[in-house]
Amino acid sequence: QVRLIESGGGLVQAGGSLRLSCAASGPRFSNYAMGWFRQAPGKEREFLAAISWSAGSAYYADSVKGRFTISRDNAKTTVYLQMNGLKPEDTAVYYCAAGALISILDRTYGDWGQGTQVTVSS
């Protein structure tokens, strides 16, 4: 239902910041909850953050709470993940996803982007 394209990944030093963007195309972007996940080599996909369609609710994983902030701009059909205080263990491919309801479960999201690589050096 929604096409998602992530951008903003790259190589950054530990302690640095990046802002990821997820550009969406489709007729009802404003009706979708949006989530961010990541997957490191050899590991399972990990929930990071989610935001409701109205931006009135947000969930964060304990590992990123206080460092990462999710936001959305429905007029621009874009969701963002601001990442501060990056650590080497944050290195992974980062994905955005769209679903009917805000959730921490990846299986509840029906549309996924292709991912963007984030590498944090020490």
Side-chain angles (χ1 to χ4, degrees):
Q1 303 297 316
V2 180
R3 184 184 296 271
L4 305 172
I5 302 176
E6 302 94 338
S7 62
L11 176 64
V12 65
Q13 293 279 343
S17 298
L18 287 172
R19 188 180 73 160
L20 305 184
S21 298
C22 177
S25 61
R28 291 190 172 93
F29 171 79
S30 297
N31 293 341
Y32 287 92
M34 301 294 297
W36 284 97
F37 296 77
R38 68 186 180 191
Q39 188 167 25
K43 297 184 178 180
E44 296 295 319
R45 187 158 52 194
E46 176 189 10
F47 168 77
L48 299 174
I51 189 167
S52 64
W53 68 268
S54 67
S57 298
Y59 299 158
Y60 292 95
D62 289 342
S63 61
V64 305
K65 192 170 186 178
R67 298 191 296 127
F68 292 8
T69 303
I70 189 171
S71 62
R72 68 189 297 162
D73 186 335
N74 288 346
K76 296 180 179 179
T77 65
T78 301
V79 63
Y80 304 95
L81 187 68
Q82 178 67 47
M83 306 188 296
N84 299 325
L86 285 164
K87 306 173 182 179
E89 52 262 45
D90 294 320
T91 296
V93 177
Y94 284 67
Y95 300 90
C96 67
L101 298 171
I102 187 170
S103 174
I104 66 170
L105 303 175
D106 56 3
R107 61 181 172 85
T108 66
Y109 293 87
D111 298 288
W112 292 81
Q114 294 300 305
T116 185
Q117 176 71 45
V118 172
T119 302
V120 184
S121 64
S122 60

